[in-house]
Amino acid sequence: RKKDEEERKRKHKEGEDMRAAAVAAKLAENDRITAEKEEEERKKREAEELQRRKKDEEERKRKHKEGEDMRAAAVAAKLAENDRITAEKEEEERKKREAEELQ
């Protein structure tokens, strides 16, 4: 009987050990899956951040280009205005000379 009792206890202990090992394996598997999901989320966030930075940089370049275009247009308008004023002054000078020559 004592031998039977020891065998029963040994088998009970083996069963507990097997269940504990199964629980540990399940926890390890859960940890692995969680780590994979976290890594996927991290990569997704990094990709989104990279995309956002790229978009921001493109927007900055676009605005810079718009600013350059506006400054170039303002310079062109100023040059055209200067040309118009010069042409008017030259016309006035020509008319004045012609009038003086007639005198």
Side-chain angles (χ1 to χ4, degrees):
R1 276 176 71 177
K2 189 175 182 186
K3 208 172 188 180
D4 289 346
E5 181 64 18
E6 286 174 1
E7 182 67 14
R8 187 190 64 74
K9 285 182 179 178
R10 186 184 63 73
K11 285 187 177 178
H12 180 74
K13 175 88 169 69
E14 283 177 3
E16 284 182 337
D17 292 348
M18 286 174 59
R19 285 188 293 280
V23 167
K26 183 64 176 169
L27 290 175
E29 175 68 3
N30 288 350
D31 288 347
R32 183 189 65 76
I33 291 169
T34 299
E36 284 178 2
K37 287 181 180 175
E38 288 173 350
E39 180 66 9
E40 287 174 12
E41 282 297 313
R42 183 188 65 76
K43 286 180 180 176
K44 183 179 172 186
R45 281 192 309 273
E46 285 178 358
E48 288 171 349
E49 176 66 15
L50 186 65
Q51 192 65 28
R52 186 190 61 75
R53 275 192 249 130
K54 184 178 175 184
K55 187 177 176 185
D56 289 350
E57 180 64 13
E58 287 172 356
E59 180 67 9
R60 186 192 66 74
K61 286 180 180 177
R62 185 187 64 76
K63 286 184 177 178
H64 181 74
K65 172 98 169 67
E66 282 179 2
E68 286 180 336
D69 292 348
M70 286 174 60
R71 285 186 293 277
V75 167
K78 182 66 175 169
L79 290 174
E81 176 68 5
N82 289 350
D83 289 347
R84 185 190 61 75
I85 291 170
T86 300
E88 284 179 2
K89 287 181 179 175
E90 289 173 349
E91 181 65 14
E92 287 174 11
E93 285 294 319
R94 186 187 62 77
K95 287 181 180 177
K96 184 178 172 185
R97 280 194 308 274
E98 287 177 358
E100 287 174 353
E101 287 175 7
L102 287 176
Q103 292 279 334

